[in-house]
Structure formats: structure tokens, C-alpha cells
Amino acid sequence: VKQSALNDERITAISEMFQGIRAIKLFGWESQFIKRIEEYREKQLASRWAVVKVWIQTNAVAILTPNLILVAIFFVYVAVLGNQLTAAVAFTSISVLLTLRTSFERLPSQFSNMVSLYVSLMRVEDYLNQPEVQSLENRILLDLSAPI
């Protein structure tokens, strides 16, 4: 959500600069606008870098967790319970945990998709809550039954 807000700020600043390009050139304000846009870009890059760090950590945990669970299960099965690890037990356990691994690996991307969905829904809600440009009474109503 924060990253989207930073993107919006930078895009707004760039749009303002393009809309007032003649005045900016006339008064020599290019450097001030460029500096402002660069500051927004630095904030945006810092935010993205933080997201990448969290993504790396989350994926590392999601990939390592099933392997650590497998090692822990085999340890408990052999060392704590005193059973002998046979090929049938080992391969069956690995097969079941590989199925769970897929779910763990998809979890970070699903979380990211949910955050993107939330941001998109908030933008649509903001758009729909804006006041109407032209009231319903002032609109021209078309008579659809009349031939064209």
C-alpha cells in the first residue's frame, strides 16, 4: 500500500511538471521539479528494496520449512520413537510433504496478490466515491426508440 502511494506521488509530480512545462521553462524551475521528482524516486526505490528484502526472507522460509519439517519428522520417528526408517516409510513421507511444499511455496505470492487486490479495490472505491462531474438532471437523455 505504501509503495503504491509513493508511485502515485511521483506520477503526480511528473504530471504536474508536464502540465506546466511552459511556465517551468519560462521561470527556470526545471532543477527544482527534477529534484522533487528524484526525491520521490529515491523514496520509491527504498520502499521497493524493503519489499524485495521481505520477499526474499518469506520465500526462503517457505522453501526451507517443508525440508526442515521432513528432517524433524524423520528425527522424531527414528531417535525419539525408536523406529527403523525403511524405504517405504521414507518415500511415502517425502511424497506427502512434497504435496505440502507446493502450498508453502505459493503462500508468499498469494499474500502479495491479496495486497495488490486490496490496493486496487481502494483505488476503485476512491474513484467511485468522487463527486459526479455532471448531475443526473443535467444530462442529455437519448431516446433509444427513435430511428438513427
Side-chain angles (χ1 to χ4, degrees), residues 125-138:
E125 183 181 9
D126 288 344
Y127 175 75
L128 293 175
N129 287 335
Q130 289 180 355
E132 291 190 31
V133 176
Q134 185 179 22
S135 67
L136 187 58
E137 295 80 27
N138 295 335

Side-chain angles (χ1 to χ4, degrees), residues 80-134:
V80 176
L81 299 177
N83 295 322
Q84 185 177 3
L85 187 62
T86 62
V89 170
F91 287 121
T92 303
S93 302
I94 290 171
S95 151
V96 169
L97 288 172
L98 282 176
T99 304
L100 292 174
R101 181 181 193 157
T102 306
S103 299
F104 274 106
E105 287 176 351
R106 290 183 182 165
L107 193 62
S109 65
Q110 293 302 322
F111 178 72
S112 174
N113 291 341
M114 293 302 289
V115 170
S116 295
L117 174 68
Y118 174 77
V119 170
S120 298
L121 287 175
M122 291 299 106
R123 286 182 174 174
V124 169
E125 183 181 9
D126 288 344
Y127 175 75
L128 293 175
N129 287 335
Q130 289 180 355
E132 291 190 31
V133 176
Q134 185 179 22

